[in-house]
Amino acid sequence: MKVCKFGGSSLANAEQIRKVCDIVLSDPERRIMVVSAPGKRSREDIKVTDLLISLANARISGYDGLTELSAVVRRFADIAEELELGNDIVSEIEQDLTRRIAADPSYTMKFMDSLKAAGEDNCAKLVANYLQSIGKHAQYFDPKTSGMILTEEFGNAQVLEESYTQLALLKDYQGIVVYPGFFGYTKAGEVATFSRGGSDITGSILAAAVEARVYENWTDVDSVYAVNPNLISNPHAISEITYDEMRELAYAGFTVLHEEALTPAYRKGIPVNIRNTNNPPARGTMIVKSRVNFDSIVTGIAGAKGFCTLNMSKYLMNREVGFALKVLQILADEYMPFEHMPSGIDSLTIVLRQDVFTPEKEKRVVRRLVDEIGIEKISVDRNLAIVMIVGEAMAHTVGVTARAANSLSKAGVNLEIINQGASEISVMFGVREEYCNYAVKELYKEFFQR
Ligand code: ASP
């Protein structure tokens, strides 16, 4: 059986919803469909989830939210009308939203999640209604009764292990399961959402629960590309990529799939197939556990801005047992995750995301490092980007880092950091932010256009 997840652009209007249903109906193996909330119909349009966030904010700020409410209802009503579904489904959606906004908005996070979830929840009801209206055996499944149980981290929830056993029962349903993405329920029965873009996670969880043969993730691109298509026109399309490679590229800015979405599929070894709703014959990109065929040494190149380094040195640092532990403890006290930690004999650099290292935190951390562990020299370097080349084939090829560094040096890009992980499937370069895109383009030329 296949689990198919459809993103917001695949459900933005009636025409897209028809396409999505045709895709599902064209293959009897496609038995579970996970839907996002309707996305943008054009560049300037607003996603339903964002409309719902505005509605929640209006209520939290003490307004009645009626204007915002009618904008959401309008979106669903337009789709329902074009799909010739009649008015009942629209009234049902309006009642559902009215009930949600009547809750106490002072529990901000819970209130917000209940509203954010309404986009996917009502979209799933609408799609199931459409499939039934054209005579298909399909049903909406409620995450509450079907067992999608999540932690209480509202807005950033995680699935609880116990969900899997009950969710596995979905495979017994003989028709098409229409399942809303993005949210589940806490043990106390409250709505909790994953982080933004989280319908990908729902799809992966269901695929793992029913042990699907493949998890199809339908979006609006033909495949994952070796580089951001906004930087290079017609870039190399990746036909196969491993979970590990994908994870590294997602980390450095590939946004095709939610960063957390691979884990459930990965643990069960279920291949993930990225497909295009607007071009179903294209076979897309297959994300797999391991691969043996490589058509290039480097699989992908990515760059992400917004990093900074905390550089420190102390004479005889290498002899001091537990030194790094003390540094990391100070970061942990500030609740600051670190990204990389390149080191020398007497020096240590911590690479951090700039948004977590606020100037106030910087002041406190620097003072503690000096006072408590006697750091002699310390500096912070902001506005850095990381640029990564990723590829399983790199581990067996000599000279890839040299080639990359050489091409960047010829292009006049100064390297602030070089870091290679133990798996040898990626090399990371730290450059100044203004060089980020340029460096990515130069590396692409080196590895794909020579
Ligand atoms: N609708 C949600 C969002 O916009 C989740 C999703 O589309 O995956 O973040």
Side-chain angles (χ1 to χ4, degrees):
M1 111 185 312
K2 294 177 181 170
V3 170
C4 316
K5 178 261 167 180
F6 295 91
S9 61
S10 303
L11 297 146
N13 57 28
E15 188 193 339
Q16 290 299 88
I17 290 179
R18 283 201 185 95
K19 276 190 205 166
V20 157
C21 293
D22 286 347
I23 289 169
V24 172
L25 295 169
S26 68
D27 181 348
E29 265 200 276
R30 295 189 177 126
R31 294 254 308 280
I32 298 183
M33 61 190 294
V34 174
V35 299
S36 284
K40 291 183 179 197
R41 292 159 294 186
S42 63
R43 254 182 121 80
E44 314 71 49
D45 200 13
I46 304 173
K47 285 170 136 198
V48 164
T49 309
D50 291 317
L51 293 176
L52 287 161
I53 292 173
S54 304
L55 168 57
N57 280 330
R59 293 283 299 125
I60 290 166
S61 317
Y63 299 101
D64 61 14
L66 292 181
T67 321
E68 290 80 1
L69 176 76
S70 71
V72 180
V73 175
R74 191 69 262 147
R75 280 294 305 267
F76 283 109
D78 285 349
I79 298 174
E81 191 182 321
E82 262 195 77
L83 293 174
E84 296 169 19
L85 295 182
N87 241 334
D88 288 359
I89 181 81
V90 183
S91 322
E92 213 182 285
I93 293 173
E94 187 161 8
Q95 275 165 24
D96 172 73
L97 292 167
T98 310
R99 183 184 54 77
R100 288 178 201 251
I101 61 171
D104 183 353
S106 58
Y107 297 102
T108 323
M109 300 292 276
K110 292 181 188 174
F111 184 77
M112 184 56 91
D113 270 17
S114 161
L115 275 155
K116 271 160 46 189
E120 319 342 72
D121 206 23
N122 287 306
C123 186
K125 286 179 186 160
L126 192 141
V127 170
N129 192 301
Y130 171 66
L131 283 166
Q132 288 158 6
S133 79
I134 56 168
K136 306 298 169 192
H137 187 21
Q139 195 182 305
Y140 157 83
F141 278 76
D142 183 356
K144 190 170 201 170
T145 47
S146 60
M148 182 66 79
I149 311 163
L150 309 186
T151 59
E152 292 194 0
E153 295 154 280
F154 297 98
N156 187 28
Q158 308 289 318
V159 67
L160 292 175
E161 210 43 48
E162 61 206 75
S163 297
Y164 287 97
T165 324
Q166 208 197 327
L167 289 171
L169 301 178
L170 288 174
K171 66 169 172 273
D172 298 337
Y173 179 67
Q174 290 310 308
I176 296 165
V177 171
V178 187
Y179 205 94
F182 192 38
F183 74 95
Y185 286 82
T186 65
K187 280 191 173 161
E190 267 153 334
V191 177
T193 69
F194 297 118
S195 55
R196 290 298 304 268
S199 298
D200 286 343
I201 308 174
T202 308
S204 186
I205 293 168
L206 296 191
V210 302
E211 300 190 356
R213 194 167 68 73
V214 49
Y215 167 32
E216 291 181 339
N217 191 288
W218 292 83
T219 173
D220 51 10
V221 287
D222 274 353
S223 71
V224 179
Y225 295 100
V227 69
N228 182 346
N230 296 327
L231 294 180
I232 303 274
S233 67
N234 250 327
H236 176 79
I238 300 173
S239 54
E240 195 180 61
I241 184 170
T242 63
Y243 299 118
D244 291 341
E245 290 173 311
M246 195 62 206
R247 157 84 182 110
E248 302 258 353
L249 289 167
Y251 172 78
F254 274 36
T255 53
V256 186
L257 204 64
H258 191 293
E259 244 198 307
E260 293 165 40
L262 282 176
T263 316
Y266 169 81
R267 280 170 45 200
K268 284 276 171 82
I270 296 164
V272 181
N273 190 192
I274 308 289
R275 301 286 293 261
N276 188 354
T277 299
N278 303 317
N279 186 15
R283 297 173 62 180
T285 300
M286 209 53 151
I287 310 173
V288 294
K289 203 164 201 152
S290 64
R291 63 195 186 112
V292 284
N293 299 318
F294 299 100
D295 51 4
S296 53
I297 301 170
V298 169
T299 304
I301 301 168
K305 298 179 183 171
F307 288 83
C308 61
T309 55
L310 174 61
N311 311 300
M312 59 201 97
S313 54
K314 183 180 180 190
Y315 193 60
L316 294 181
M317 183 190 275
N318 66 322
R319 301 262 190 93
E320 204 175 313
V321 174
F323 181 83
L325 187 66
K326 290 179 213 155
V327 173
L328 296 181
Q329 186 56 53
I330 294 177
L331 295 186
D333 292 346
E334 290 289 337
Y335 204 68
M336 270 170 41
F338 78 95
E339 306 295 319
H340 309 271
M341 195 168 62
S343 65
I345 311 170
D346 284 344
S347 66
L348 185 69
T349 291
I350 312 260
V351 182
L352 301 152
R353 290 203 190 254
Q354 198 145 273
D355 55 0
V356 300
F357 198 38
T358 56
E360 303 83 74
K361 283 197 179 177
E362 176 181 328
K363 237 194 246 158
R364 277 200 302 270
V365 167
V366 167
R367 184 165 347 102
R368 287 189 63 187
L369 288 168
V370 172
D371 292 352
E372 295 173 26
I373 52 178
I375 296 290
E376 288 153 0
K377 246 167 78 190
I378 191 158
S379 64
V380 173
D381 199 2
R382 290 189 176 267
N383 305 326
L384 295 174
I386 58 164
V387 172
M388 306 218 341
I389 52 172
V390 176
E392 297 267 359
M394 282 165 43
H396 317 290
T397 316
V398 179
V400 184
T401 308
R403 246 178 97 180
N406 193 25
S407 80
L408 291 176
S409 95
K410 273 204 222 134
V413 179
N414 184 37
L415 300 179
E416 313 278 331
I417 313 164
I418 301 185
N419 201 14
Q420 181 176 32
S423 67
E424 288 188 53
I425 72 160
S426 73
V427 181
M428 182 207 94
F429 300 104
V431 301
R432 301 230 61 85
E433 264 183 356
E434 55 272 29
Y435 285 115
C436 180
N437 293 348
Y438 176 55
V440 169
K441 286 188 206 166
E442 286 303 311
L443 289 169
Y444 184 79
K445 265 196 227 156
E446 175 64 34
F447 289 101
F448 289 92
Q449 291 177 324
R450 285 219 190 279

